[in-house]
Amino acid sequence: MRPIAIMAAMQEEMVGLTSALSDARTINNGSRQFTTGTVHGQPVVLVLSRIGKVAAATTATALVERFDVSAIVFTGVAGGLASGVNVGDMVVASEFIQHDMDASPLFAPLEIPLYGRAVFPTDAGLTESLRAAAQGLLNNLSQWVDRDTLHALNVQSPKVHSGLVLSGDRFVSTSAESQALQKRLPLALAVEMEGAAVAQVCHDYDVPFAAVRTISDRADDAATTDFSRFIHEVASRYTSALMGAWMASRRG
Ligand code: SAH
């Protein structure tokens, strides 16, 4: 059976995932550490992509070329953009755009040159299974994260959203930039720094791709503080609980 890849950008998001692996084995390849093993009897490869589009793209390429993965799932945190997408919510991406791509006037703004498109959809089946796992997790969130922590982060009745996610090589941390993105791309639910790059690699190789992000901040003037607290206090618990539930659901 070909393995499924689970990628995350930051160490804090990866903690917990690795400890859930059976028969874990570490392989170093091109400045990245890949961990192979099984979860609920299914072969997986876990890897930390590091931050940004290039790091994510080289990591995704190695997963396809060297590990022959059957699908890639990205899990991590993101800044919320649309109103109602709050800290503690989860966003399952239905499609991605690189918000910092602009080769105009040669190509339309946002269009990836020579691909004839700006939008890269995710795999519908994988996306639906992630959405269901995310909803299940949020229905029982207090099992994973204690109420005081959620209260301190001002997380109240978190929701699952599905839709457009933006990626770019910028940590969006001012209200002005966040508002400009919302005005330009009103359907965008969240912004992060890797997903669209992995979506493009998966498009190149025809490998199914899906992504789920927990909202760590609102990409506004408070983003830096909110992001750091979320990452330290809850990100790894969300990620490992979600991926565990998702792998269990795939067992059929
Ligand atoms: N201070 C961190 C850097 C984190 S960059 C460090 O030193 O390690 C932010 C990471 O979280 C990226 O991987 C990105 O995908 C995601 N992210 C969370 N909030 C974001 C925001 N507001 N803008 C862009 N990316 C965000």
Side-chain angles (χ1 to χ4, degrees), residues 9-10 77-79 170-172 192-194 213 216-217 219 227:
M10 300 177 61
V77 297
R170 299 178 60 77
F171 181 66
V172 179
E192 38 86 313
M193 301 177 68
E194 298 85 15
R213 295 273 184 168
S216 55
D217 56 82
F227 167 83

Side-chain angles (χ1 to χ4, degrees), residues 89-134:
D89 287 3
M90 292 188 144
V91 171
V92 183
S94 61
E95 53 193 11
F96 279 98
I97 289 178
Q98 290 184 31
H99 68 80
D100 55 354
M101 174 58 78
D102 185 359
S104 62
L106 304 175
F107 297 89
L110 301 174
E111 184 177 322
I112 309 296
L114 309 180
Y115 283 71
R117 58 161 77 209
V119 178
F120 288 79
T122 55
D123 180 82
L126 281 180
T127 298
E128 174 50 30
S129 65
L130 274 183
R131 201 202 52 74

Side-chain angles (χ1 to χ4, degrees), residues 8-13 49-52 74 76-81 99 166-174 181 190-195 213-220 223-224 227-228 231:
M10 300 177 61
Q11 189 62 48
E12 292 88 340
E13 299 161 338
S49 68
R50 303 193 185 169
I51 294 164
F74 202 107
V77 297
L81 287 178
H99 68 80
L166 308 182
S167 310
D169 287 321
R170 299 178 60 77
F171 181 66
V172 179
S173 57
T174 65
L181 282 175
V191 62
E192 38 86 313
M193 301 177 68
E194 298 85 15
R213 295 273 184 168
T214 308
I215 301 302
S216 55
D217 56 82
R218 280 282 305 163
D220 56 10
T224 310
F227 167 83
S228 306
I231 274 288

Side-chain angles (χ1 to χ4, degrees), residues 79-86 89 161 178 182 185-191 218:
L81 287 178
S83 65
V85 180
N86 296 314
D89 287 3
H161 311 267
S178 161
Q182 286 175 66
L185 292 158
L187 292 179
L189 299 177
V191 62
R218 280 282 305 163

